[in-house]
Amino acid sequence: MPWHAQLQLHYRREAQRTVLHHQHNGPLRILKSLYPEGDAICHNVIIHPPGGLVGGDVLNVSLHVDAGAHALVSTPGATRFYASDQATATQQVNIELGAGSRLEWLPLESIAYPGCLAHNSVQATLAEGAEWLGWDVTALGLPTAGQAFEQGRFSQRLSIPGLWLEQAHIDAQDTRLLNSPLGLDGQRCLGTMWLACGTALPRERREHLLEVVRSTLDRALGQSPAHMQAGATCPNTNMLVLRAVAPLVEPLMALFQQVWAELRPAAWGLSNTPPRIWRV
């Protein structure tokens, strides 16, 4: 029987503290709220006890952050889309950010196993002054385990209606897309990181943040495998977007964590206190 799971997360500002109220149905859970940075920022980890999705599974995460609240959400492990005969496995995340709120969406990677039929979507709406720092990382197959992505399909949609849309449909049989220099050029891990704002960023702030990210990339890429590629741009006045590809997920995830550690202080004046789950 397929899993149909729902998790609703609602962050509220109560006095000077960000508090989480949540409900679940099916195998999605939230670990206890942590406050390593004080009451203003609530850290949480979403867990999925079965450990992966197969054909017919549907995971729905609904996340609302009220005005003035600040949430940081991560996961303890990869989201695994296993092989499927016919039905599609789906993960959907819907986010609503209230005025002046902040969200850090920092899950570990999604792994598309050979033979999977998978769909992953993240959609958000941002009110005036809200800011969303997040990423999405996808690994195609398990190269180090000798499980190449030679069968299956993975589709993805990242969107902020009226502001930003990125979507992809990756078929394991589409060798032109996977191997061409105009496609993934043989890379099997791809990631997108962003800072999205409900209010247009002033040009000076936008250029400063872009310089912070590009300087971090210059330093990080100089110490990483030459075959990893990354670049950052501001596609509109409300966003900064970083895209990267690599042969394996580990160096790409390490790169994103380095960028987060520099961008967070630059954007919000906060320390780069990492989620505790990164050190487990």
Side-chain angles (χ1 to χ4, degrees):
M1 296 293 292
W3 293 104
H4 284 216
Q6 296 179 335
L7 179 64
Q8 297 178 347
L9 307 177
H10 190 173
Y11 292 90
R12 301 173 182 171
R13 185 81 170 184
E14 298 182 0
Q16 301 302 311
R17 187 178 179 90
T18 295
V19 177
L20 170 65
H21 300 266
H22 61 95
Q23 295 181 328
H24 74 269
N25 179 28
L28 278 177
R29 298 290 190 276
I30 199 78
L31 295 180
K32 66 178 294 185
S33 295
L34 302 173
Y35 294 88
E37 305 176 81
D39 288 348
I41 304 174
C42 182
H43 288 225
N44 289 110
V45 177
I46 296 175
I47 61 171
H48 179 221
L53 293 83
V54 297
D57 287 356
V58 179
L59 301 185
N60 281 300
V61 178
S62 175
L63 197 159
H64 185 93
V65 185
D66 280 357
H70 185 159
L72 186 154
V73 181
S74 56
T75 61
T79 298
R80 302 173 185 271
F81 291 94
Y82 294 120
S84 173
D85 290 335
Q86 295 179 340
T88 299
T90 301
Q91 177 176 255
Q92 300 176 139
V93 179
N94 290 287
I95 295 169
E96 295 183 13
L97 301 186
S101 65
R102 291 174 179 170
L103 171 65
E104 297 174 77
W105 176 252
L106 308 173
L108 295 183
E109 70 276 7
S110 297
I111 301 177
Y113 276 67
C116 75
L117 300 175
H119 178 70
N120 180 53
S121 70
V122 182
Q123 178 174 301
T125 58
L126 282 68
E128 188 84 10
E131 298 195 357
W132 178 30
L133 177 57
W135 63 48
D136 192 277
V137 176
T138 300
L140 302 173
L142 295 91
T144 57
Q147 298 184 44
F149 188 65
E150 297 177 342
Q151 293 182 340
R153 296 191 302 273
F154 184 89
S155 65
Q156 179 160 275
R157 180 183 176 93
L158 309 175
S159 66
I160 303 173
L163 183 64
W164 181 55
L165 171 63
E166 291 199 4
Q167 57 185 359
H169 180 81
I170 301 174
D171 191 311
Q173 301 298 310
D174 189 352
T175 55
R176 288 187 177 181
L177 172 63
L178 291 170
N179 299 324
S180 167
L182 298 179
L184 295 180
D185 197 20
Q187 310 278 32
R188 291 299 180 263
C189 183
L190 57 154
T192 303
M193 183 176 182
W194 58 84
L195 174 65
C197 305
T199 304
L201 292 164
R203 181 174 179 178
E204 182 177 348
R205 185 184 181 209
R206 195 165 66 243
E207 292 181 348
H208 170 63
L209 296 177
L210 190 58
E211 177 58 30
V212 168
V213 171
R214 287 176 173 170
S215 296
T216 305
L217 290 180
D218 288 342
R219 293 193 304 272
L221 292 176
Q223 303 170 356
S224 66
H227 32 267
M228 184 162 66
Q229 302 172 47
T233 186
C234 290
N236 55 59
T237 59
N238 294 60
M239 293 193 68
L240 184 155
V241 177
L242 162 64
R243 299 176 182 87
V245 292
L248 300 172
V249 70
E250 290 82 4
L252 193 151
M253 187 60 74
L255 173 68
F256 277 14
Q257 291 180 1
Q258 290 179 60
V259 172
W260 173 86
E262 297 293 336
L263 183 56
R264 190 181 201 244
W268 297 335
L270 298 173
S271 65
N272 57 356
T273 303
R276 292 180 182 176
I277 198 68
W278 291 359
R279 300 193 295 268
V280 174

